[in-house]
Amino acid sequence: MRYFLHLAYDGTRFHGWQIQPGTLTVQQELDRCLSQILRQPVYSLGSGRTDSGVHASHQVAHFDAELPEGLDLDTLLYRLNRALPADMRGYLVHPVPPTAHARFDARVRTYEYHVRLVPDPFAAPHALYLDRSPDVAAMNEAAAYLIGDHDFTSFSKVGGSEKHYRCLCYEAGWHPTPGGVVFRIRANRFVRGMVRLVVGTLLTVGKGKLTSDEFREVFQSLNRVHASGAAKAQGLFLCRVEYLAGLVPTELLPTGLPYFAG
């Protein structure tokens, strides 16, 4: 049977999602715990590969396994959360068709980048602190150029394995939050390093060092060297993964969680 697992994690101490030799990753810990509980080798595949230090309030992974006799899905989830480290938690596990794929069947993903404008020692691992408020109106004027079907080469890390850099962006903008602002971007796909490079360049606009028109020129240049540096990892969250209706039983997702998946 194939299953989808909906989970969240604090990425602070992990070197990203994907298994890498000699370092701690989210996928490694998840596979270790699933294999331990199910008493068989289990290999998960996530909806996307978050980078080192990046968090997820909603990640989806699929895995194939035969549940031992007498083990139901509620008990599996309970035992998984007992086995996982405290900075990882599963929220829902459910069966899917054998051809379902957590990555390739994901239609839309949403990321948020959190910026604090009021000092808060408890938020430090999960937000970028700025001691001066950026020009949010100017940043939103620039962010509007991202919406639509575009080539995001200017906002992609070099040396990646991308076959192309086109993404269909449905939403991109800054929103006020208590004590800060959050940037939300929603698209069908994201290329490597894209959100942090977009945020870093938008913050340059917010500091008055780049105009919105100059941001557009950077975007359209299709040249990574024209963009600003990437924003730090700790403010970035993968917060929503969307699938076609019927693949994810949204009525079973717990309420009150900081994500929505549909």
Side-chain angles (χ1 to χ4, degrees):
M1 288 287 295
R2 176 159 292 186
Y3 299 92
F4 269 18
L5 171 67
H6 301 253
L7 69 154
Y9 49 85
D10 181 325
T12 302
R13 70 185 185 99
F14 295 104
H15 291 265
W17 164 266
Q18 189 176 15
I19 290 177
Q20 304 171 53
T23 190
L24 182 67
T25 70
V26 177
Q27 186 183 30
Q28 170 192 315
E29 285 294 275
L30 178 60
D31 289 357
R32 178 184 66 82
C33 292
L34 283 171
S35 299
Q36 171 187 317
I37 295 165
L38 295 171
R39 301 193 294 275
Q40 60 193 275
V42 177
Y43 305 98
S44 62
L45 194 148
S47 66
R49 301 172 181 176
T50 52
D51 290 338
S52 180
V54 175
H55 318 292
S57 54
H58 183 213
Q59 170 70 284
V60 180
H62 78 245
F63 64 92
D64 296 324
E66 293 297 330
L67 267 60
E69 186 176 353
L71 180 66
D72 59 37
L73 292 179
D74 288 340
T75 304
L76 169 61
L77 188 62
Y78 171 78
R79 292 182 180 177
L80 178 62
N81 281 328
R82 289 287 299 269
L84 287 170
D87 44 10
M88 294 176 61
R89 279 296 174 267
Y91 288 131
L92 175 67
V93 59
H94 59 90
V96 292
T99 57
H101 198 287
R103 180 183 175 190
F104 297 139
D105 285 341
R107 293 296 181 256
V108 184
R109 299 166 178 85
T110 302
Y111 281 87
E112 288 185 349
Y113 194 93
H114 294 259
V115 173
R116 289 288 299 176
L117 303 175
V118 176
D120 182 353
F122 302 106
H126 307 116
L128 174 70
Y129 171 66
L130 297 179
D131 57 6
R132 293 185 180 181
S133 297
D135 186 338
V136 175
M139 292 194 298
N140 275 334
E141 184 178 342
Y145 293 121
L146 301 172
I147 297 174
D149 187 350
H150 301 291
D151 187 320
F152 280 80
T153 298
S154 294
F155 298 126
S156 176
K157 287 184 179 179
V158 296
S161 58
E162 308 290 347
K163 294 182 179 179
H164 68 91
Y165 296 87
R166 296 203 73 85
C167 306
L168 178 56
C169 181
Y170 300 104
E171 176 187 355
W174 294 85
H175 308 273
T177 59
V181 290
V182 61
F183 176 69
R184 184 177 304 117
I185 183 166
R186 181 171 175 263
N188 68 327
R189 66 188 294 266
F190 290 86
V191 293
R192 185 167 174 256
M194 173 176 156
V195 183
R196 290 171 59 195
L197 286 164
V198 165
V199 170
T201 309
L202 286 173
L203 288 174
T204 303
V205 174
K207 295 174 183 176
K209 297 180 179 179
L210 201 69
T211 67
S212 60
D213 285 340
E214 289 170 335
F215 177 90
R216 179 181 58 184
E217 292 171 3
V218 168
F219 185 28
Q220 295 176 346
S221 72
L222 306 185
N223 192 329
R224 164 67 186 90
V225 300
H226 295 155
S228 303
K232 293 182 179 180
Q234 77 263 25
L236 183 58
F237 287 76
L238 171 62
C239 64
R240 180 180 177 186
V241 186
E242 299 174 59
Y243 295 88
L244 288 178
L247 189 58
V248 174
T250 54
E251 69 278 4
L252 297 181
L253 286 170
T255 58
L257 295 174
Y259 68 80
F260 170 85

